[in-house]
Amino acid sequence: MFHGSQINAQQGGASASLWLTDSLRHGRPAADERGWREKVRDWAEDVELVPDLGQRVGSFTWFRGLATCFGLCAAALYLSPGFHALPGAPQPLLASRQFDEVRSQMITPLGLGADSGRRMGPTDAVQPLRATPERPQIELRAQIGGSDSLGSALTRAGVSGGDVATVTSLVAGDAGAGLKPGTPLDIVLGRRASRDMPRPLDRLSFRARLDLGIEIARVGGLLQVQRTAIHVDETPLRIQGVVGESLYRSARAAGAPPKAIQSFLRVVAQQVDLGSISAGDRYDIITEYRRADTGDVEVGDLLFAGLHRASGRGIDMLKWTQDGRVQWFEASGVGQRRGVLSSPVAGRVSSSFGLRRHPILGYTRMHAGIDFAAPYGSPIYAVTDGVVSYAGRHGGHGNYVRLEHGHGLATGYGHMSRIAAAPGQRVRQGQVIGYVGSTGLSTGPHLHYELYRNGQTVNPLSVKFTTSSQLAGRELAAFRARLVQLKSLRIGLPVQVAQQRQAASAAPAATGK
């Protein structure tokens, strides 16, 4: 067994004597024999030369670090190099010939209407011209604008006023109603006698109508017109097909013009809900279609709209004119419904029919109509066909219009800012008869709308009336004959139909040979 003995100065008696004896035997610690380099290195390791200025703020170490930071910044500023301009020799100026050589390769000549690219500068052998020669003719192409006329289009193209007046008089009978917007004008202007005179019109050609081409040329110093008749096939276009994902896409894929499809959808929407049309239903579209021998075409109005549904009632609608009014009739001869009351203005109902406290008079009285809140100047429409029986100032109603619709029914429109109808005028449903205002006893812009039955005011929201046209006699027979004629048309473009007929007529002859 071993026994450990630990003796130190804290122990007393013999133990302390033994500890002191051992210390005297070994003597003092040895002297530090390191060099000054080692001592400085050890001192630098113990001293924090770059203290964190965010800690121990206000201590000696912090101030020493702050002084070190300022010293380093001052030394950096003192030793920083200066910024001085570097001397450089200027570029030599180009001579006129050298400048012309450089300019010929710039993009500037393009903006001035000249040539670009490398070329030789002029020498002393080149002499400037006294006058630049003009082109003998100028050919240009103009176009008729949306609200343009032939005369204004020619003037804009540079034709002189005298030639414009001559052309206008020559084609007055052919283009009296104005040319179709987008009609191109091919113009040729000739050589002028002097620079202070406009160029004369040498030739002008355009399409006055689909079936008429006009060419005006200068012969012997005078403008003469030549008219060229163009054959036009006016066979209506008939398109049939089966509805796929959508009726519009299916009809477009079958070759129906967009204008005809839009008219077809509007007519069908009056009879059935367009959302109920499903895949498998068959459509039948017949529209006016004019095709010239030159290949130009004009799509006119829709003539017939048919929809044969896989389940449900089919639709056959024919466009017909009765008593000067164009409307759509069913195959049985029954016309479209008319007289359905529509909203007189685009706005919300702000006051209903019945007793109320008047906002100006301050007492309760009968409000014999409904009020529509709408912005000032909004158009007011006739709710159905009728005749204007009164239009003018009408007491508390201010500017007021009253329409008689027959069968004891009438409507009134008050507080207008401006009246757009006259007494005795016949108006159609949706026609503008005035504009929203605040005349009479009114606190703000709105429309006061009244409905009369046998002279008594009734709630406009409680009355709905419809009328329909019915063909009979000779008119019904003519209607049915027109319907049979259109439904006997072959399907496809007129050119395709003509080609099919030619092929059918040539087949028996080939068999006979």
Side-chain angles (χ1 to χ4, degrees):
M1 298 180 65
F2 297 91
H3 177 72
S5 177
Q6 296 180 350
I7 303 175
N8 51 40
Q10 286 76 17
Q11 296 175 341
S15 299
S17 301
L18 290 175
W19 176 81
L20 182 59
T21 303
D22 185 65
S23 300
L24 294 174
R25 184 184 306 118
H26 289 87
R28 293 182 178 181
D32 191 359
E33 298 180 355
R34 296 178 302 168
W36 66 273
R37 296 178 184 275
E38 289 77 4
K39 293 179 180 179
V40 172
R41 183 183 59 193
D42 295 341
W43 174 82
E45 292 177 356
D46 296 337
V47 177
E48 189 177 2
L49 295 178
V50 187
D52 187 0
L53 297 180
Q55 298 180 359
R56 296 172 292 175
V57 179
S59 64
F60 174 77
T61 303
W62 185 84
F63 279 108
R64 180 169 53 79
L66 183 62
T68 303
C69 180
F70 278 115
L72 292 175
C73 292
L77 293 175
Y78 179 76
L79 299 175
S80 62
F83 297 93
H84 304 285
L86 298 177
Q91 295 292 333
L93 296 177
L94 297 177
S96 60
R97 184 173 301 177
Q98 293 173 338
F99 177 76
D100 188 70
E101 179 71 17
V102 173
R103 183 179 177 277
S104 66
Q105 302 180 49
M106 297 180 181
I107 196 173
T108 306
L110 290 177
L112 300 177
D115 298 330
S116 64
R118 189 174 180 83
R119 60 182 177 84
M120 294 180 60
T123 64
D124 296 337
V126 177
Q127 297 181 0
L129 297 174
R130 294 182 179 179
T132 305
E134 291 187 337
R135 297 169 57 183
Q137 285 184 339
I138 295 180
E139 299 181 3
L140 51 92
R141 189 179 182 90
Q143 199 172 36
I144 301 295
S147 58
D148 214 349
S149 64
L150 177 60
S152 59
L154 293 176
T155 302
R156 190 171 58 250
V159 181
S160 64
D163 289 344
V164 170
T166 303
V167 171
T168 304
S169 62
L170 289 176
V171 300
D174 304 313
L179 298 180
K180 182 179 178 182
T183 302
L185 305 174
D186 295 324
I187 305 172
V188 178
L189 300 178
R191 188 190 300 273
R192 54 185 175 181
S194 61
R195 291 180 179 271
D196 57 351
M197 296 179 58
R199 286 180 175 268
L201 177 64
D202 278 359
R203 188 168 63 255
L204 170 66
S205 59
F206 61 93
R207 195 76 165 265
R209 298 190 303 269
L210 186 65
D211 58 349
L212 179 62
I214 291 182
E215 182 175 354
I216 299 176
R218 189 175 295 276
V219 179
L222 299 177
L223 292 176
Q224 298 182 2
V225 61
Q226 179 180 358
R227 297 173 176 84
T228 303
I230 303 173
H231 179 263
V232 175
D233 185 1
E234 298 187 359
T235 305
L237 171 65
R238 185 178 189 183
I239 300 293
Q240 282 186 353
V242 180
V243 178
E245 294 182 358
S246 74
L247 193 153
Y248 184 88
R249 293 182 179 179
S250 301
R252 285 292 293 137
K259 176 183 176 181
I261 302 176
Q262 294 170 2
S263 301
F264 177 85
L265 293 176
R266 284 195 295 267
V267 173
V268 172
Q270 298 177 1
Q271 304 296 323
V272 298
D273 183 10
L274 294 179
S276 64
I277 301 176
S278 58
D281 295 346
R282 298 187 62 86
Y283 57 86
D284 192 354
I285 301 174
I286 302 178
T287 183
E288 294 178 347
Y289 192 82
R290 306 178 67 205
R291 184 182 186 278
D293 290 344
T294 57
D296 299 319
V297 297
E298 283 185 358
V299 179
D301 297 333
L302 184 69
L303 300 176
F304 174 82
L307 181 65
H308 306 284
R309 313 182 68 182
S311 59
R313 182 178 64 90
I315 300 173
D316 283 335
M317 301 294 294
L318 177 64
K319 189 176 183 180
W320 191 257
T321 303
Q322 184 186 37
D323 298 332
R325 179 187 178 92
V326 179
Q327 56 179 309
W328 289 87
F329 285 81
E330 298 179 359
S332 60
V334 177
Q336 62 188 15
R337 297 188 305 170
R338 291 183 295 133
V340 180
L341 295 181
S342 60
S343 177
V345 70
R348 61 179 179 84
V349 176
S350 59
S351 182
S352 58
F353 182 88
L355 293 174
R356 70 163 188 177
R357 183 179 180 83
H358 198 279
I360 296 180
L361 301 179
Y363 59 86
T364 302
R365 72 172 189 174
M366 183 65 180
H367 184 234
I370 58 177
D371 291 344
F372 290 89
Y376 188 91
S378 300
I380 300 173
Y381 309 100
V383 296
T384 189
D385 298 352
V387 178
V388 180
S389 60
Y390 184 88
R393 199 77 180 182
H394 190 262
H397 288 147
N399 292 331
Y400 178 80
V401 172
R402 176 163 174 160
L403 303 180
E404 301 291 339
H405 307 288
H407 305 286
L409 293 175
T411 54
Y413 312 80
H415 305 310
M416 293 183 177
S417 62
R418 184 163 60 92
I419 296 175
Q425 179 183 355
R426 181 175 296 275
V427 296
R428 300 289 178 85
Q429 182 179 13
Q431 182 175 339
V432 177
I433 59 175
Y435 300 90
V436 172
S438 186
T439 56
L441 293 178
S442 172
T443 58
H446 71 284
L447 169 66
H448 176 75
Y449 170 64
E450 296 178 342
L451 179 64
Y452 300 89
R453 174 181 287 169
N454 298 325
Q456 301 295 325
T457 56
V458 296
N459 188 354
L461 300 180
S462 65
V463 176
K464 292 183 180 180
F465 62 95
T466 61
T467 60
S468 59
S469 302
Q470 180 72 43
L471 300 179
R474 295 181 178 180
E475 191 173 15
L476 179 60
F479 171 83
R480 290 177 176 175
R482 176 61 173 169
L483 182 63
V484 171
Q485 177 188 4
L486 291 179
K487 298 188 72 172
S488 63
L489 292 174
R490 302 188 63 176
I491 302 172
L493 296 174
V495 176
Q496 298 174 350
V497 173
Q499 293 175 352
Q500 295 174 0
R501 291 176 178 174
Q502 291 178 0
S505 60
T511 305
K513 290 181 180 180

